[in-house]
Amino acid sequence: MDPYILKKDFPILDDKTLIYLDTAASSLKPKQVINKLEEYYEKYSTNVHRGVYNLSYVATEMYEQSRRKACEFINADFDEIVFTRGASSALNIVASSYGLNNLTSDDEIIVSELEHHSQVLPWQNVSNITKAKLVYVPLNKEGRITIENFKKVLNNKTKVVALNYVSNVMGYVTPIKEIIKLSHNVGAIVCVDAAQAAPHKKIDVKDIDCDFLAFSGHKMLGPTGIGVLFGKKELLKEMPPIEFGGDMNDNVNLYDATWKDSPYKFEAGTPPIAGAIGLGAAMDYINDIGIENIAIHEKKLKDYTVSKLLEIEDVVIYNKDAETGIISFNINSVHPHDAVTFFDGDNICMRAGHHCAQLIIKWLKVVATLRVSFYLYNTIEDCDRFIESVKNARDFFKSAGF
Ligand SMILES: Cc1ncc(COP(=O)(O)O)c(C=O)c1O
């Protein structure tokens, strides 16, 4: 893959001075996705599953075609893919529907300090309501979830394991397949937060054998407002809906009603139609390039940038051995928000803060970190300009007496 050619697909990057290093928050969108959204809004912007006329059939077919693309993308079956508003709402469905209805005070839920708030907070809520105990996997010295440490907290009381596949702060890949195997051995189900994995890594839900898996469209070239929840069909079948409204029901009586089968019972109301269709186009785009090629490219950029950052005095990197394209770091004595404002002056977009993952920031014993995250449209030149900006920021704040 050639990032210089790919860059041309991204209208925002027509501004040649712009360096975008914040894909972990949200990726840029290629014209292929933007055009698909335009096609929907201009040519068949009708509702799905309702209209008895051709345009609505077209919209329905495009919406369901995207579901089939999502199936192929992660090797799931059709009735195992629920379209949601994003990874957060997908994880909330699992916690509120499965968690609240299956856990009791005798049970334990395993999470980690590496989790995004979207994974840890829904399970905190389940724990508060059901009194199931929330148990944290101790992280190793590097801040990773290891099998050795996971085994220390797994036991016969564990009913749910809710962990990330790739950390949005540290970029570490969790050994999820082995964790799932161990969890199943004690009868626990595993809910995987794949928001940072799906855009960068081949996922095969049958191979890893996860019970639930969630990701967002907007981090993988797709539109905002669309996400995917994968759930094993036998689990989704038993789970009650948590939102009620149009299109999720079969028969409605005065005092009761029956629900459609999954996935529709979890898609109450008008679904994110344009979002789903746009996500289908994003998946096509990624498939055309090959997700493995994207991963190799990002890792190359990350290794190069880490090696250059290590040469800069006063730079502290928290995850230099991460397997993916995320770098979390700070410049000694410089508040990350000051640094990121300096980078913005060089037209470099990147993130500073706790990245919606306060637990790992507390674990690192810092107030916040700077975070760079790469994607297929980044180049070595982007890295060089960023490194230059880091050096200038360090010199600027040092000369200002920080
Ligand atoms: C690891 C991880 N999980 C979940 C989410 C939540 O995704 P969304 O905000 O799209 O619902 C994010 C977003 O940053 C994330 O990085």
Side-chain angles (χ1 to χ4, degrees), residues 62-330:
M62 296 303 290
Y63 179 73
E64 296 302 346
Q65 195 184 78
S66 285
R67 198 188 309 272
R68 290 193 288 276
K69 287 180 185 178
C71 292
E72 275 171 36
F73 200 73
I74 60 169
N75 194 23
D77 293 339
F78 188 83
D79 47 356
E80 297 179 319
I81 296 287
V82 179
F83 282 132
T84 67
R85 202 166 43 77
S88 303
S89 69
L91 295 167
N92 273 281
I93 291 174
V94 182
S96 295
S97 178
Y98 185 88
L100 289 181
N101 288 290
N102 286 285
L103 299 192
T104 69
S105 56
D106 294 334
D107 300 328
E108 295 187 359
I109 306 164
I110 295 181
V111 291
S112 87
E113 288 156 280
L114 260 191
E115 301 318 307
H116 189 278
H117 297 161
S118 297
Q119 176 76 305
V120 79
L121 295 183
W123 293 106
Q124 258 187 24
N125 186 48
V126 170
S127 165
N128 288 337
I129 294 172
T130 63
K131 305 297 172 221
K133 188 171 164 204
L134 207 55
V135 179
Y136 284 84
V137 190
L139 301 179
N140 78 354
K141 277 205 314 276
E142 258 186 294
R144 289 177 185 272
I145 299 165
T146 62
I147 294 296
E148 198 192 349
N149 283 354
F150 179 72
K151 282 183 182 164
K152 289 182 192 158
V153 288
L154 183 73
N155 62 55
N156 286 336
K157 289 185 166 183
T158 311
K159 287 291 167 325
V160 170
V161 174
L163 296 174
N164 68 86
Y165 203 155
V166 173
S167 153
N168 67 312
V169 177
M170 305 298 263
Y172 296 148
V173 179
T174 306
I176 208 74
K177 188 171 169 179
E178 214 175 328
I179 283 179
I180 292 168
K181 194 156 176 254
L182 290 166
S183 305
H184 287 169
N185 286 346
V186 300
I189 62 106
V190 182
C191 174
V192 182
D193 174 0
Q196 299 292 345
H200 312 280
K201 197 175 169 21
K202 182 74 199 135
I203 295 177
D204 183 329
V205 292
K206 290 198 171 50
D207 178 52
I208 63 174
D209 199 23
C210 58
D211 300 284
F212 300 102
L213 181 135
F215 58 94
S216 294
H218 69 96
K219 293 182 196 291
M220 48 181 291
L221 310 178
T224 53
I226 180 74
V228 170
L229 168 63
F230 157 82
K232 277 185 178 163
K233 58 186 85 170
E234 55 275 21
L235 291 171
L236 292 179
K237 190 165 184 279
E238 298 303 322
M239 283 161 53
I242 59 160
E243 282 192 345
F244 302 85
D247 207 37
M248 50 76 71
N249 54 278
D250 266 338
N251 188 24
V252 177
N253 305 307
L254 279 180
Y255 301 105
D256 60 15
T258 55
W259 318 130
K260 281 186 178 159
D261 289 338
S262 184
Y264 303 110
K265 77 174 165 187
F266 296 108
E267 294 182 3
T270 298
I273 304 167
I277 292 171
L279 176 60
M283 288 175 171
D284 287 344
Y285 190 94
I286 290 173
N287 288 338
D288 283 350
I289 297 167
I291 199 157
E292 291 85 359
N293 296 328
I294 298 172
I296 292 167
H297 174 68
E298 293 164 353
K299 178 74 169 36
K300 201 175 76 188
L301 296 181
K302 182 243 148 197
D303 286 345
Y304 174 79
T305 307
V306 165
S307 73
K308 295 287 175 189
L309 284 175
L310 285 172
E311 291 169 6
I312 306 175
E313 205 189 328
D314 292 321
V315 168
V316 185
I317 304 177
Y318 302 109
N319 66 333
K320 67 182 170 52
D321 295 322
E323 303 87 325
T324 60
I326 290 180
I327 308 172
S328 270
F329 71 103
N330 268 319

